[in-house]
Amino acid sequence: MNRVIGYAAQSASAPLGPFGFERRDPGAHDVQIQIMYCGVCHSDLHTARNEWKGSVYPVVPGHEIVGRVTAVGREVRSFKAGDMAAVGCMVDSCGDCAECRDGLEQYCQNEIVFTYNSPDKHTGNMTYGGYSSQIVVDQRFVLRLPDKLDPAAAAPLLCAGITTYSPLRHWNVGRDSRVGVVGLGGLGHMAVKFAHALGAYVVLFTTSPEKGADARRMGADEVVVSKQPDEMARCANSFDFILNTVAATHNLDAYLTMLRRDGTMCLVGAPENPHPSPGVFNLIFKRRSLAGSLIGGIKETQEMLDFCGANGIVSDIELIPIQKINEAYERMLRSDVKYRFVIDLASLKQ
Ligand code: NAP
Ligand code: ZN
């Protein structure tokens, strides 16, 4: 075992603070990574504050991890000490069920192990995430980072990136698509970049009018302020696909009525409290679909990273020392994120 320092929430109401714990020595199939950067996802906040219930304390969040390999097990072939490597939201799954065989480990029927707040069969504790100096992960869940990408700005691709890339691909977004993205936060800004790169016509819906210029720079063709009823009304019956990234409860009908016949709105935002039920007639009359999507599988995550390497896509980030994490959470709650906080783990040593 080796000693690691991290930052943890000790209860739903406590701010995050320093926490020492043990990681396993790398086994035959494991990769040990010195963490350099970790993105700050709104899911980290939901979990640290037990908003989805089910949090087991201490919670060490963080699932947008980039770092350097320090050691590998004897059966590891694709990584060696000194390589850059990345880890996302999952660190293990059964490998055997229909979902795992299809490369969709996030939907594993048996024993999906998330990067934090999942039972850890190696230690008997819960898994502890990337707000820490080091992590040990089975090679099947370690990703390769394209050389061209700035490692700090690439960290958010491991959750915000794949969570938006996967549904855009699943619903075949391309040149002929008219796509709406709801919310310009960590996930939303990646959705705008990906939908634009895939050739779609992209409309961003935001509650923050001052984000409009940034959204256009990222690839939005139009920006609609969702608090303006007349602007919203103009969008009725016009979208093939809407990706909804909002982290708070809101009225889904406002967006469902914007779908064309056979259009789909996919929810990726996962607020603490349920949305009011959508009107059945808004679905029936145009054969519209309301769907959801969870991150993405490992194969698709590598595909997404390679797509980002080929197209020069990274996240817009604000790099922070770990001591600023509680302030970053408060800013995230105010939608004051441009557009992903990333922790520089070098600050842990100070
Ligand atoms: P974030 O950076 O906080 O972004 C959320 C954005 O939603 C905000 O920036 C804001 O954008 C908008 N928003 C916030 N409050 C709103 C309100 N009351 N009404 C309307 N819009 C509001 O969060 P994130 O990290 O992107 O995560 C978003 C959600 O996705 C979270 O619930 C997170 O847990 C979830 N998530 C799901 C998955 C998955 O696999 N499905 C993966 C990761 C995260 P504007 O200022 O532009 O309005
Ligand atoms: Zn996340």
Side-chain angles (χ1 to χ4, degrees):
M1 300 292 259
N2 43 86
R3 194 80 186 150
V4 172
I5 38 170
Y7 254 53
Q10 297 287 351
S11 78
S13 56
L16 276 70
F19 170 62
F21 61 95
E22 309 259 286
R23 297 262 193 217
R24 68 181 186 270
D25 293 322
H29 300 275
D30 285 335
V31 179
Q32 184 188 54
I33 300 165
Q34 180 76 33
I35 302 177
M36 296 161 65
Y37 302 105
C38 184
V40 178
C41 180
H42 208 114
S43 304
D44 301 351
L45 188 159
H46 290 306
T47 309
R49 300 188 178 180
N50 199 21
E51 291 180 352
W52 293 333
K53 314 306 169 211
S55 296
V56 178
Y57 294 92
V59 169
V60 179
H63 57 204
E64 295 183 337
I65 299 170
V66 166
R68 201 170 284 287
V69 175
T70 42
V72 297
R74 63 175 186 280
E75 301 293 334
V76 175
R77 297 283 170 265
S78 19
F79 294 94
K80 58 179 188 325
D83 288 351
M84 292 297 288
V87 177
C89 303
M90 305 177 280
V91 290
D92 209 353
S93 74
C94 84
D96 209 29
C97 68
E99 274 62 41
C100 287
R101 283 165 193 264
D102 280 349
L104 296 166
E105 301 86 354
Q106 73 275 31
Y107 303 117
C108 173
Q109 296 172 26
N110 298 315
E111 49 173 88
I112 178 74
V113 182
F114 292 108
T115 305
Y116 59 81
N117 200 50
S118 273
D120 184 340
K121 65 184 178 209
H122 299 279
T123 63
N125 295 324
M126 301 301 272
T127 51
Y128 295 139
Y131 295 9
S132 60
S133 50
Q134 183 246 78
I135 194 164
V136 177
V137 179
D138 187 293
Q139 60 178 341
R140 291 185 298 128
F141 290 83
V142 182
L143 286 305
R144 281 181 310 283
L145 204 62
D147 290 339
K148 278 195 210 147
L149 300 181
D150 171 57
L157 300 176
L158 277 300
C159 174
I162 185 59
T163 301
T164 51
Y165 180 86
S166 183
L168 290 169
R169 298 283 298 175
H170 181 75
W171 275 279
N172 297 315
V173 163
R175 297 210 164 273
D176 299 329
S177 317
R178 201 178 144 87
V179 171
V181 172
V182 190
L184 197 72
L187 269 56
H189 92 291
M190 291 312 309
V192 169
K193 291 184 185 205
F194 284 137
H196 175 73
L198 292 168
Y201 188 89
V202 185
V203 180
L204 172 77
F205 294 91
T206 181
T207 59
S208 310
E210 70 282 2
K211 292 182 181 173
D214 287 340
R216 286 200 168 78
R217 175 176 51 76
M218 292 172 197
D221 297 284
E222 282 178 47
V223 176
V224 173
V225 177
S226 51
K227 292 168 182 163
Q228 298 289 345
D230 51 328
E231 287 188 43
M232 294 289 278
R234 275 203 298 275
C235 297
N237 303 319
S238 66
F239 289 99
D240 302 294
F241 184 69
I242 296 177
L243 191 61
N244 188 327
T245 75
V246 174
T249 308
H250 63 284
N251 171 18
L252 300 180
D253 282 317
Y255 297 103
L256 285 173
T257 53
M258 292 179 183
L259 293 171
R260 284 180 179 148
R261 172 179 56 79
D262 290 332
T264 297
M265 176 158 75
C266 175
L267 305 179
V268 285
E272 176 179 10
N273 298 307
H275 299 298
S277 295
V280 173
F281 291 103
N282 280 337
L283 296 170
I284 291 176
F285 269 80
K286 288 200 181 286
R287 200 163 56 187
R288 294 165 171 139
S289 301
L290 178 61
S293 181
L294 178 66
I295 44 176
I298 292 297
K299 185 161 170 271
E300 192 174 42
T301 305
Q302 191 62 59
E303 175 193 308
M304 178 272 312
L305 288 170
D306 296 342
F307 179 85
C308 289
N311 292 279
I313 295 176
V314 285
S315 173
D316 285 31
I317 65 161
E318 184 175 336
L319 200 61
I320 56 164
I322 200 156
Q323 293 78 6
K324 290 235 164 118
I325 187 64
N326 296 300
E327 200 181 300
Y329 279 8
E330 292 312 313
R331 285 184 53 195
M332 189 152 66
L333 284 173
R334 296 197 299 271
S335 302
D336 178 19
V337 185
K338 289 200 168 148
Y339 280 86
R340 194 60 140 187
F341 293 109
V342 172
I343 302 167
D344 180 353
L345 271 310
S347 61
L348 254 184
K349 296 185 191 110
Q350 286 159 18

Coordinates of all heavy atoms in Angstrom, one line a residue, residues 178-258:
R178 N -30.1 20.0 -37.0 CA -30.3 21.2 -36.3 C -30.3 20.8 -34.8 O -31.2 20.1 -34.4 CB -31.6 21.9 -36.7 CG -31.6 23.4 -36.5 CD -32.9 23.9 -37.0 NE -33.4 25.0 -36.1 CZ -33.0 26.2 -36.2 NH1 -32.3 26.6 -37.2 NH2 -33.5 27.1 -35.3
V179 N -29.3 21.3 -34.0 CA -29.1 20.8 -32.7 C -29.3 22.0 -31.7 O -28.7 23.0 -31.9 CB -27.7 20.2 -32.5 CG1 -27.4 19.8 -31.1 CG2 -27.6 18.9 -33.4
G180 N -30.0 21.7 -30.6 CA -30.0 22.6 -29.5 C -29.2 22.1 -28.3 O -29.2 20.9 -28.1
V181 N -28.5 23.0 -27.7 CA -27.7 22.6 -26.5 C -28.2 23.5 -25.3 O -28.3 24.7 -25.5 CB -26.2 22.8 -26.6 CG1 -25.4 22.6 -25.3 CG2 -25.6 21.9 -27.7
V182 N -28.7 22.9 -24.2 CA -29.2 23.7 -23.1 C -28.2 23.8 -22.0 O -27.8 22.8 -21.4 CB -30.5 23.1 -22.6 CG1 -31.2 24.1 -21.7 CG2 -31.5 22.7 -23.8
G183 N -27.8 25.0 -21.7 CA -26.8 25.3 -20.6 C -25.4 25.4 -21.1 O -24.9 24.4 -21.8
L184 N -24.7 26.5 -20.8 CA -23.3 26.6 -21.2 C -22.4 26.5 -20.0 O -21.8 27.4 -19.5 CB -23.0 27.9 -22.0 CG -21.7 27.9 -22.8 CD1 -21.8 27.0 -24.0 CD2 -21.2 29.3 -23.2
G185 N -22.3 25.3 -19.4 CA -21.4 25.0 -18.3 C -20.3 24.0 -18.9 O -20.0 24.0 -20.1
G186 N -19.8 23.1 -18.0 CA -18.8 22.2 -18.4 C -19.2 21.3 -19.5 O -18.6 21.2 -20.5
L187 N -20.4 20.6 -19.3 CA -20.9 19.7 -20.4 C -21.3 20.5 -21.6 O -21.0 20.2 -22.7 CB -22.0 18.9 -19.8 CG -21.7 17.5 -19.2 CD1 -20.7 17.7 -18.1 CD2 -22.9 16.8 -18.8
G188 N -22.1 21.6 -21.3 CA -22.7 22.3 -22.4 C -21.7 22.9 -23.4 O -21.9 22.9 -24.6
H189 N -20.6 23.4 -22.9 CA -19.6 24.1 -23.8 C -18.9 23.0 -24.6 O -18.6 23.2 -25.8 CB -18.6 25.0 -23.1 CG -17.3 24.4 -22.6 ND1 -17.3 23.5 -21.5 CD2 -16.1 24.6 -23.0 CE1 -16.0 23.1 -21.3 NE2 -15.3 23.8 -22.2
M190 N -18.7 21.8 -24.1 CA -18.2 20.7 -24.9 C -19.2 20.3 -26.0 O -18.8 19.9 -27.1 CB -17.8 19.5 -24.0 CG -16.6 19.7 -23.1 SD -15.1 20.5 -23.9 CE -14.9 19.4 -25.4
A191 N -20.5 20.2 -25.6 CA -21.5 19.9 -26.6 C -21.6 20.8 -27.7 O -21.7 20.4 -28.9 CB -22.9 19.8 -25.9
V192 N -21.4 22.1 -27.5 CA -21.4 23.1 -28.5 C -20.2 22.8 -29.5 O -20.3 22.8 -30.7 CB -21.3 24.6 -28.0 CG1 -21.0 25.6 -29.1 CG2 -22.6 24.9 -27.3
K193 N -19.0 22.6 -28.9 CA -17.8 22.4 -29.7 C -18.0 21.1 -30.6 O -17.7 21.1 -31.7 CB -16.6 22.2 -28.8 CG -16.2 23.5 -28.2 CD -14.9 23.4 -27.3 CE -14.6 24.7 -26.6 NZ -13.2 24.9 -26.3
F194 N -18.5 20.0 -29.9 CA -18.6 18.8 -30.7 C -19.7 18.9 -31.8 O -19.5 18.4 -32.9 CB -19.0 17.6 -29.7 CG -17.8 17.1 -28.9 CD1 -18.0 16.8 -27.6 CD2 -16.5 16.9 -29.5 CE1 -16.9 16.4 -26.8 CE2 -15.5 16.5 -28.7 CZ -15.6 16.2 -27.4
A195 N -20.9 19.4 -31.4 CA -21.9 19.5 -32.4 C -21.5 20.3 -33.6 O -21.7 20.0 -34.8 CB -23.2 20.1 -31.8
H196 N -20.7 21.4 -33.3 CA -20.2 22.2 -34.4 C -19.2 21.4 -35.3 O -19.2 21.4 -36.5 CB -19.6 23.5 -33.8 CG -18.9 24.3 -34.8 ND1 -19.6 25.1 -35.7 CD2 -17.5 24.6 -35.1 CE1 -18.7 25.8 -36.5 NE2 -17.5 25.4 -36.1
A197 N -18.3 20.7 -34.6 CA -17.3 19.9 -35.3 C -17.9 18.8 -36.1 O -17.3 18.5 -37.2 CB -16.3 19.3 -34.3
L198 N -19.1 18.3 -35.7 CA -19.7 17.3 -36.5 C -20.5 17.9 -37.7 O -21.2 17.2 -38.4 CB -20.7 16.5 -35.6 CG -19.9 15.6 -34.5 CD1 -20.9 15.1 -33.5 CD2 -19.2 14.4 -35.2
G199 N -20.5 19.2 -37.8 CA -21.2 19.9 -38.9 C -22.6 20.3 -38.7 O -23.2 20.9 -39.6
A200 N -23.1 20.2 -37.5 CA -24.5 20.6 -37.3 C -24.7 22.1 -37.2 O -23.7 22.8 -36.9 CB -25.0 20.0 -35.9
Y201 N -25.9 22.5 -37.3 CA -26.3 23.9 -37.0 C -26.7 23.9 -35.5 O -27.5 23.2 -35.1 CB -27.5 24.3 -37.9 CG -27.9 25.8 -37.7 CD1 -27.3 26.7 -38.6 CD2 -28.7 26.3 -36.7 CE1 -27.6 28.1 -38.4 CE2 -29.0 27.6 -36.6 CZ -28.4 28.5 -37.4 OH -28.7 29.9 -37.3
V202 N -26.0 24.8 -34.8 CA -26.0 24.7 -33.3 C -26.7 25.9 -32.7 O -26.2 27.1 -32.9 CB -24.6 24.5 -32.7 CG1 -24.7 24.3 -31.2 CG2 -23.9 23.3 -33.4
V203 N -27.7 25.7 -31.8 CA -28.3 26.8 -31.1 C -28.1 26.6 -29.6 O -28.4 25.5 -29.1 CB -29.8 26.9 -31.4 CG1 -30.4 28.0 -30.6 CG2 -30.0 27.1 -32.9
L204 N -27.5 27.5 -28.9 CA -27.3 27.4 -27.5 C -28.4 28.1 -26.8 O -28.8 29.2 -27.1 CB -26.0 28.0 -27.1 CG -25.9 28.1 -25.5 CD1 -25.5 26.7 -24.9 CD2 -24.9 29.2 -25.1
F205 N -29.0 27.4 -25.7 CA -30.0 28.0 -24.8 C -29.3 28.3 -23.5 O -28.7 27.4 -22.9 CB -31.2 27.1 -24.6 CG -31.9 26.9 -25.9 CD1 -31.6 25.9 -26.8 CD2 -32.9 27.8 -26.2 CE1 -32.3 25.7 -28.0 CE2 -33.7 27.6 -27.4 CZ -33.3 26.6 -28.3
T206 N -29.3 29.5 -23.0 CA -28.6 29.9 -21.8 C -29.5 30.8 -20.9 O -30.3 31.5 -21.4 CB -27.3 30.6 -22.2 OG1 -26.6 30.9 -20.9 CG2 -27.5 31.8 -23.0
T207 N -29.2 30.7 -19.6 CA -29.8 31.6 -18.7 C -28.9 32.8 -18.5 O -29.3 33.7 -17.7 CB -30.1 31.0 -17.3 OG1 -28.9 30.5 -16.8 CG2 -31.1 29.8 -17.5
S208 N -27.7 32.8 -19.1 CA -26.7 33.8 -18.8 C -26.4 34.5 -20.1 O -25.5 34.1 -20.9 CB -25.4 33.1 -18.3 OG -25.7 32.2 -17.2
P209 N -27.1 35.7 -20.4 CA -26.9 36.4 -21.7 C -25.4 36.7 -21.9 O -25.0 36.7 -23.1 CB -27.7 37.6 -21.5 CG -28.6 37.4 -20.4 CD -28.0 36.3 -19.5
E210 N -24.6 37.0 -20.9 CA -23.2 37.4 -21.1 C -22.4 36.3 -21.6 O -21.2 36.5 -22.0 CB -22.7 37.9 -19.8 CG -22.4 36.9 -18.7 CD -23.7 36.5 -17.9 OE1 -24.8 36.9 -18.2 OE2 -23.5 35.6 -17.0
K211 N -22.9 35.0 -21.7 CA -22.1 33.9 -22.2 C -22.2 33.8 -23.8 O -21.5 33.0 -24.4 CB -22.5 32.6 -21.6 CG -22.1 32.4 -20.1 CD -22.6 31.1 -19.6 CE -22.2 30.9 -18.1 NZ -22.8 29.6 -17.6
G212 N -23.1 34.7 -24.4 CA -23.4 34.5 -25.8 C -22.1 34.6 -26.7 O -22.0 33.8 -27.6
A213 N -21.3 35.6 -26.4 CA -20.1 35.8 -27.3 C -19.2 34.5 -27.2 O -18.7 34.1 -28.2 CB -19.3 37.0 -26.9
D214 N -19.0 34.0 -26.0 CA -18.2 32.8 -25.9 C -18.8 31.6 -26.6 O -18.1 30.9 -27.3 CB -18.0 32.4 -24.4 CG -17.1 33.4 -23.6 OD1 -16.3 34.1 -24.3 OD2 -17.2 33.4 -22.4
A215 N -20.1 31.5 -26.5 CA -20.8 30.4 -27.2 C -20.5 30.5 -28.7 O -20.3 29.5 -29.4 CB -22.3 30.4 -26.9
R216 N -20.6 31.7 -29.3 CA -20.4 31.8 -30.7 C -19.0 31.5 -31.1 O -18.8 30.8 -32.1 CB -20.8 33.3 -31.1 CG -22.3 33.5 -31.2 CD -22.6 34.8 -32.0 NE -24.0 34.8 -32.3 CZ -24.9 35.3 -31.3 NH1 -24.5 35.7 -30.2 NH2 -26.2 35.3 -31.6
R217 N -18.1 31.9 -30.3 CA -16.6 31.6 -30.5 C -16.4 30.1 -30.5 O -15.7 29.5 -31.3 CB -15.8 32.2 -29.4 CG -14.3 31.9 -29.5 CD -13.5 32.7 -28.5 NE -14.0 32.6 -27.1 CZ -13.8 31.6 -26.3 NH1 -13.3 30.5 -26.7 NH2 -14.3 31.6 -25.1
M218 N -17.2 29.3 -29.7 CA -17.0 27.9 -29.6 C -17.8 27.1 -30.7 O -17.6 25.9 -30.8 CB -17.6 27.4 -28.2 CG -16.8 27.8 -27.0 SD -17.7 27.4 -25.5 CE -16.9 28.4 -24.3
G219 N -18.6 27.9 -31.4 CA -19.2 27.2 -32.6 C -20.8 27.3 -32.6 O -21.4 26.7 -33.6
A220 N -21.4 28.0 -31.7 CA -22.8 28.2 -31.8 C -23.2 29.1 -32.9 O -22.6 30.2 -33.1 CB -23.4 28.7 -30.4
D221 N -24.2 28.7 -33.7 CA -24.7 29.6 -34.8 C -25.7 30.6 -34.3 O -25.8 31.7 -34.9 CB -25.3 28.7 -35.9 CG -24.3 27.7 -36.5 OD1 -23.4 28.2 -37.3 OD2 -24.3 26.6 -36.1
E222 N -26.4 30.3 -33.2 CA -27.3 31.2 -32.6 C -27.3 31.0 -31.1 O -27.0 29.9 -30.6 CB -28.8 30.9 -33.0 CG -29.2 31.3 -34.4 CD -30.6 30.9 -34.7 OE1 -31.5 31.1 -33.9 OE2 -30.8 30.3 -35.8
V223 N -27.6 32.1 -30.4 CA -27.7 32.0 -28.9 C -29.1 32.5 -28.5 O -29.5 33.6 -28.9 CB -26.6 32.8 -28.2 CG1 -26.8 32.8 -26.7 CG2 -25.2 32.3 -28.6
V224 N -29.8 31.7 -27.7 CA -31.2 32.1 -27.3 C -31.1 32.2 -25.8 O -30.7 31.3 -25.1 CB -32.2 31.0 -27.7 CG1 -33.6 31.3 -27.1 CG2 -32.3 31.0 -29.2
V225 N -31.6 33.3 -25.2 CA -31.7 33.5 -23.8 C -33.0 32.9 -23.3 O -34.1 33.4 -23.7 CB -31.5 35.0 -23.4 CG1 -31.7 35.2 -21.9 CG2 -30.2 35.5 -23.9
S226 N -32.9 31.9 -22.5 CA -34.1 31.1 -22.2 C -35.1 31.8 -21.3 O -36.2 31.4 -21.2 CB -33.7 29.7 -21.6 OG -32.9 29.9 -20.5
K227 N -34.7 32.9 -20.8 CA -35.6 33.7 -20.0 C -36.5 34.7 -20.8 O -37.3 35.4 -20.3 CB -34.9 34.6 -18.9 CG -34.2 33.7 -17.8 CD -33.2 34.6 -17.0 CE -32.5 33.8 -16.0 NZ -31.3 34.5 -15.5
Q228 N -36.2 34.7 -22.1 CA -36.9 35.6 -23.1 C -38.0 34.8 -23.8 O -37.7 34.1 -24.8 CB -36.0 36.2 -24.1 CG -34.9 37.0 -23.5 CD -35.4 38.4 -23.0 OE1 -36.5 38.8 -23.2 NE2 -34.6 39.0 -22.1
P229 N -39.3 34.9 -23.4 CA -40.4 34.1 -24.0 C -40.5 34.2 -25.5 O -40.7 33.3 -26.2 CB -41.6 34.6 -23.3 CG -41.2 35.3 -22.1 CD -39.8 35.8 -22.3
D230 N -40.3 35.5 -26.0 CA -40.5 35.6 -27.5 C -39.4 34.9 -28.2 O -39.6 34.3 -29.3 CB -40.5 37.1 -27.8 CG -39.4 37.9 -27.2 OD1 -38.9 37.6 -26.1 OD2 -38.9 38.9 -27.9
E231 N -38.1 35.0 -27.7 CA -37.0 34.3 -28.4 C -37.3 32.8 -28.4 O -37.0 32.1 -29.3 CB -35.7 34.5 -27.6 CG -35.1 35.9 -27.9 CD -33.7 36.1 -27.3 OE1 -32.9 35.1 -27.4 OE2 -33.4 37.1 -26.6
M232 N -37.8 32.3 -27.2 CA -38.1 30.8 -27.1 C -39.2 30.4 -28.1 O -39.1 29.4 -28.7 CB -38.5 30.5 -25.6 CG -37.4 30.7 -24.6 SD -36.0 29.5 -24.7 CE -36.8 28.1 -23.8
A233 N -40.2 31.2 -28.2 CA -41.4 30.9 -29.0 C -40.9 30.7 -30.5 O -41.5 29.9 -31.2 CB -42.4 32.0 -28.9
R234 N -40.0 31.5 -30.9 CA -39.5 31.4 -32.3 C -38.9 30.1 -32.6 O -38.7 29.7 -33.8 CB -38.5 32.5 -32.6 CG -39.1 33.8 -33.0 CD -38.1 34.7 -33.8 NE -37.0 35.1 -33.0 CZ -36.9 36.1 -32.1 NH1 -38.0 36.9 -32.0 NH2 -35.8 36.4 -31.5
C235 N -38.5 29.3 -31.6 CA -37.8 28.0 -31.8 C -38.7 26.8 -31.9 O -38.3 25.7 -32.1 CB -36.8 27.8 -30.7 SG -35.5 29.0 -30.6
A236 N -40.0 27.0 -31.8 CA -41.0 25.9 -31.8 C -40.8 25.0 -33.1 O -40.5 25.5 -34.2 CB -42.4 26.4 -31.8
N237 N -40.9 23.7 -32.9 CA -40.9 22.7 -33.9 C -39.7 22.8 -34.9 O -39.8 22.6 -36.1 CB -42.2 22.8 -34.8 CG -43.4 22.7 -34.0 OD1 -43.5 21.8 -33.1 ND2 -44.4 23.5 -34.2
S238 N -38.5 23.0 -34.4 CA -37.4 23.3 -35.3 C -36.2 22.4 -35.1 O -35.2 22.5 -35.9 CB -37.0 24.8 -35.2 OG -36.4 25.1 -33.9
F239 N -36.1 21.6 -34.0 CA -34.8 20.9 -33.8 C -35.0 19.4 -34.0 O -36.0 18.7 -33.7 CB -34.4 21.1 -32.3 CG -33.9 22.5 -32.1 CD1 -34.7 23.4 -31.5 CD2 -32.6 22.8 -32.5 CE1 -34.2 24.7 -31.3 CE2 -32.1 24.1 -32.3 CZ -32.9 25.0 -31.7
D240 N -33.9 18.8 -34.6 CA -33.8 17.3 -34.7 C -33.4 16.7 -33.3 O -33.8 15.6 -33.0 CB -32.8 16.9 -35.7 CG -33.1 17.5 -37.1 OD1 -34.1 17.1 -37.6 OD2 -32.3 18.4 -37.5
F241 N -32.5 17.4 -32.6 CA -32.0 16.9 -31.4 C -31.6 18.0 -30.4 O -31.1 19.0 -30.8 CB -30.7 16.1 -31.8 CG -30.1 15.4 -30.6 CD1 -30.7 14.3 -30.0 CD2 -28.8 15.8 -30.1 CE1 -30.1 13.6 -28.9 CE2 -28.2 15.1 -29.0 CZ -28.9 14.0 -28.4
I242 N -32.0 17.8 -29.1 CA -31.6 18.7 -28.1 C -30.9 18.0 -27.0 O -31.3 16.9 -26.5 CB -32.9 19.4 -27.5 CG1 -33.6 20.3 -28.6 CG2 -32.5 20.3 -26.3 CD1 -34.9 20.9 -28.1
L243 N -29.7 18.5 -26.6 CA -28.9 17.9 -25.5 C -29.1 18.9 -24.3 O -28.6 20.0 -24.4 CB -27.5 17.7 -25.9 CG -26.6 16.9 -25.0 CD1 -27.2 15.5 -24.9 CD2 -25.2 16.8 -25.4
N244 N -29.7 18.3 -23.3 CA -30.0 19.2 -22.1 C -29.0 18.9 -21.0 O -29.0 17.8 -20.4 CB -31.5 18.9 -21.7 CG -32.0 19.8 -20.6 OD1 -31.2 20.3 -19.8 ND2 -33.2 20.1 -20.7
T245 N -28.2 19.8 -20.7 CA -27.1 19.6 -19.7 C -27.4 20.3 -18.4 O -26.5 20.4 -17.5 CB -25.7 20.2 -20.2 OG1 -25.7 21.6 -20.2 CG2 -25.5 19.7 -21.7
V246 N -28.6 20.8 -18.2 CA -28.8 21.7 -17.0 C -28.8 20.9 -15.7 O -29.4 19.8 -15.6 CB -30.2 22.4 -17.2 CG1 -30.6 23.2 -15.9 CG2 -30.1 23.3 -18.4
A247 N -28.1 21.4 -14.7 CA -27.9 20.7 -13.4 C -29.0 21.0 -12.4 O -28.9 20.6 -11.2 CB -26.5 21.1 -12.8
A248 N -30.1 21.8 -12.8 CA -31.1 22.2 -11.9 C -32.5 21.8 -12.5 O -32.6 21.6 -13.7 CB -31.1 23.7 -11.7
T249 N -33.5 21.6 -11.6 CA -34.8 21.3 -12.0 C -35.4 22.4 -12.9 O -35.3 23.6 -12.6 CB -35.7 21.1 -10.7 OG1 -35.0 20.2 -9.8 CG2 -37.0 20.6 -11.0
H250 N -36.0 22.0 -14.0 CA -36.7 23.1 -14.8 C -37.8 22.4 -15.7 O -38.0 21.2 -15.7 CB -35.6 23.8 -15.7 CG -35.0 22.9 -16.7 ND1 -34.0 22.0 -16.3 CD2 -35.1 22.7 -18.0 CE1 -33.5 21.3 -17.4 NE2 -34.2 21.7 -18.4
N251 N -38.5 23.3 -16.4 CA -39.6 22.8 -17.2 C -39.2 22.2 -18.5 O -38.7 23.0 -19.4 CB -40.5 24.1 -17.4 CG -41.7 23.8 -18.4 OD1 -42.0 22.7 -18.7 ND2 -42.2 24.9 -18.9
L252 N -39.3 20.9 -18.7 CA -38.9 20.3 -19.9 C -39.7 20.6 -21.1 O -39.3 20.6 -22.3 CB -38.8 18.7 -19.7 CG -37.9 18.2 -18.6 CD1 -37.9 16.7 -18.5 CD2 -36.4 18.7 -18.8
D253 N -41.0 20.9 -20.9 CA -41.9 21.2 -22.0 C -41.5 22.4 -22.8 O -41.7 22.4 -24.0 CB -43.3 21.5 -21.5 CG -44.1 20.2 -21.1 OD1 -44.0 19.2 -21.8 OD2 -44.7 20.2 -20.0
A254 N -40.8 23.3 -22.2 CA -40.3 24.5 -22.9 C -39.4 24.0 -24.1 O -39.4 24.6 -25.1 CB -39.5 25.4 -22.0
Y255 N -38.7 22.9 -23.9 CA -37.8 22.4 -24.9 C -38.4 21.3 -25.8 O -38.1 21.2 -27.0 CB -36.4 21.9 -24.3 CG -35.7 23.1 -23.6 CD1 -35.7 23.3 -22.3 CD2 -35.1 24.1 -24.4 CE1 -35.1 24.4 -21.7 CE2 -34.5 25.2 -23.8 CZ -34.5 25.3 -22.4 OH -33.9 26.4 -21.9
L256 N -39.2 20.5 -25.2 CA -39.9 19.4 -26.0 C -40.7 20.0 -27.1 O -40.7 19.4 -28.3 CB -40.8 18.6 -25.1 CG -40.1 17.6 -24.2 CD1 -41.1 16.9 -23.2 CD2 -39.3 16.5 -25.0
T257 N -41.3 21.1 -26.9 CA -42.1 21.8 -28.0 C -41.2 22.3 -29.1 O -41.8 22.7 -30.1 CB -43.0 22.9 -27.4 OG1 -42.2 23.8 -26.7 CG2 -44.1 22.4 -26.5
M258 N -39.9 22.4 -28.9 CA -39.0 22.8 -29.9 C -38.6 21.7 -30.9 O -37.9 22.0 -31.8 CB -37.8 23.5 -29.3 CG -38.1 24.7 -28.5 SD -36.5 25.3 -27.8 CE -37.1 26.7 -26.9

